[in-house]
Amino acid sequence: MIDPLPSHAKEAGAMRKRLAVIAGTVLALMTPTAAMAGGDIDNLWDPAACSNPDTSAFKFHLYYNSGQNGAYRNIGYNVYNFDVLWNGNNSPGGGTKLRYCILGASNPWPGSNQPVKNNAASGTNDHYKYKARVHFNSGYGGPKDIMNPYQHIDRFRYVYNENASFSWA
């Protein structure tokens, strides 16, 4: 039997298939997973994020001012970059800045609605088991302040107003 396709056509077809597999793999790696999306979406929109820190289901709390004062934000999940949380709309480059809760309607608390990135002075870890780490750089890099379970820091030593990400350990 004579093969109707020349060898260069077969090679081109095989190359297209390999490129399609590679492109699919890259796209899968770039698309937020359900776990990533759930953490970012919860950190952004879950009512626990702005409920009273003493009763919040989220066990880590960042504060705008030293000594656990001013506006706060409760965090329940790792945050890779406080400036770019996946907000659920999957738009290219789309993301939402994590902001401090808006507190005090007629007389806003210091830091209300300000971005969390590079604006944290103190924190509290209310988790019974995990350490909380606030990192200087996005992507959990650079110097960090670490809080053991049930520990607070009145004024960050390494990331005072230079904080970019958060992780549990």
Side-chain angles (χ1 to χ4, degrees):
M1 179 170 188
I2 299 175
D3 194 348
L5 288 176
S7 64
H8 69 278
K10 289 180 188 175
E11 290 171 14
M15 179 62 83
R16 280 193 294 276
K17 286 181 184 177
R18 284 193 294 272
L19 288 174
V21 169
I22 291 169
T25 303
V26 168
L27 182 61
L29 291 172
M30 291 175 56
T31 303
T33 65
M36 288 169 47
D40 280 0
I41 290 171
D42 288 342
N43 280 330
L44 284 168
W45 310 120
D46 192 302
C50 284
S51 65
N52 185 317
D54 293 335
T55 59
S56 176
F58 288 178
K59 298 302 179 187
F60 181 69
H61 322 287
L62 277 177
Y63 294 88
Y64 184 77
N65 287 337
S66 299
Q68 292 76 44
N69 288 303
Y72 57 82
R73 185 67 183 216
N74 304 318
I75 299 173
Y77 301 90
N78 292 348
V79 180
Y80 188 82
N81 180 349
F82 287 134
D83 262 356
V84 186
L85 278 76
W86 188 74
N87 57 21
N89 69 10
N90 212 17
S91 61
T96 300
K97 290 182 180 196
L98 192 64
R99 295 183 172 278
Y100 285 102
C101 304
I102 299 172
L103 304 164
S106 62
N107 187 17
W109 292 17
S112 285
N113 202 35
Q114 294 298 309
V116 168
K117 188 171 186 175
N118 298 330
N119 274 321
S122 60
T124 300
N125 178 11
D126 285 335
H127 203 285
Y128 75 96
K129 182 177 179 181
Y130 297 111
K131 291 181 180 181
R133 300 179 297 195
V134 182
H135 303 268
F136 188 87
N137 294 328
S138 297
Y140 320 120
K144 60 187 164 281
D145 281 290
I146 301 171
M147 284 164 271
N148 289 316
Y150 298 116
Q151 182 184 4
H152 68 271
I153 295 178
D154 286 334
R155 186 180 191 279
F156 288 130
R157 179 177 180 184
Y158 301 108
V159 300
Y160 179 81
N161 288 338
E162 293 290 339
N163 55 292
S165 59
F166 167 80
S167 64
W168 292 107

